[in-house]
């Protein structure tokens, strides 16, 4: 066990963990940030998506040692009133809701990199984040809504 210092959602955290332990388990079990979900354990479903310096990564296979010296943002770090979260509500995206934190984290990274994506860019940018309920059309609509809302907020007219 090592003492590791992490910056999670803007707050410095110290944890005692094996450096090879997946970041997901540090977040959920040691820091009690349970919004990030375990889905598959092999980085194939995206339920565990968090941001590492603004880039969407799968935390179930990322060793916690790789997060030292970076800024980690979890779904809790978005604060609940993020435009993507509001669009998710407006478009009634969730059914079971299990994949939603991963979907939202992937979508916020996508929109940060491309504030006005086409439908094809959304599909490409969201590939690899699986929804067992199949709400992909509502996910696309929510991302388009969030992009449109961001454009409206930036428009001085």
């Amino acid at each position: 066990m090592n003492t590791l210092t992490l910056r999670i959602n803007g707050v410095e955290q110290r944890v005692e963990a094996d450096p090879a332990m997946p970041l997901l388990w540090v977040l959920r079990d040691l820091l009690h940030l349970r919004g990030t979900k375990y889905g598959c354990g092999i980085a194939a479903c995206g339920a565990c998506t968090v941001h590492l310096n603004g880039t969407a990564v799968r935390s179930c296979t990322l060793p916690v040692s790789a997060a030292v010296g970076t800024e980690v943002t979890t779904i809790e770090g978005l604060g609940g009133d993020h435009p993507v979260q509001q669009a998710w509500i407006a478009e009634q995206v969730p059914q079971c809701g299990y994949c939603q934190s991963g979907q939202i984290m992937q979508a916020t990274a996508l929109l940060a990199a491309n504030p006005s994506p086409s439908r094809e860019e959304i599909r490409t940018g969201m590939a690899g984040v699986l929804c067992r309920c199949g709400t992909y059309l509502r996910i696309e609509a929510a991302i388009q809504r969030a992009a449109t809302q961001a454009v409206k907020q930036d428009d001085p007219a």
Side-chain angles (χ1 to χ4, degrees), residues 109-129:
L110 167 66
L111 291 173
N114 181 355
S116 203
S118 68
R119 279 183 113 54
E120 188 57 38
E121 290 169 326
I122 291 171
R123 288 179 183 145
T124 299
M126 296 300 291
V129 186

Side-chain angles (χ1 to χ4, degrees), residues 20-148:
M21 179 184 228
L23 177 60
L24 173 65
W25 300 122
V26 171
L27 295 171
R28 290 183 58 79
D29 294 346
L30 302 182
L31 297 174
H32 308 290
L33 295 169
R34 297 201 172 103
T36 304
K37 304 297 182 200
Y38 172 80
C40 66
I42 59 171
C45 75
C48 67
T49 302
V50 299
H51 294 173
L52 194 68
N53 292 332
T55 300
V57 298
R58 307 302 186 251
S59 65
C60 70
T61 58
L62 184 76
V64 67
S65 60
V68 173
T70 70
E71 177 66 38
V72 176
T73 306
T74 68
I75 191 74
E76 291 91 348
L78 295 185
D81 60 351
H82 189 281
V84 172
Q85 291 170 309
Q86 295 307 308
W88 238 249
I89 294 166
E91 294 295 333
Q92 300 179 8
V93 173
Q95 283 189 28
C96 81
Y98 197 82
C99 71
Q100 296 313 298
S101 61
Q103 295 278 359
I104 289 169
M105 295 307 289
Q106 186 75 29
T108 57
L110 167 66
L111 291 173
N114 181 355
S116 203
S118 68
R119 279 183 113 54
E120 188 57 38
E121 290 169 326
I122 291 171
R123 288 179 183 145
T124 299
M126 296 300 291
V129 186
L130 305 179
C131 174
R132 291 178 175 104
C133 300
T135 64
Y136 296 110
L137 294 177
R138 286 187 274 179
I139 289 167
E140 287 177 25
I143 294 168
Q144 288 179 319
R145 178 186 286 261
T148 302

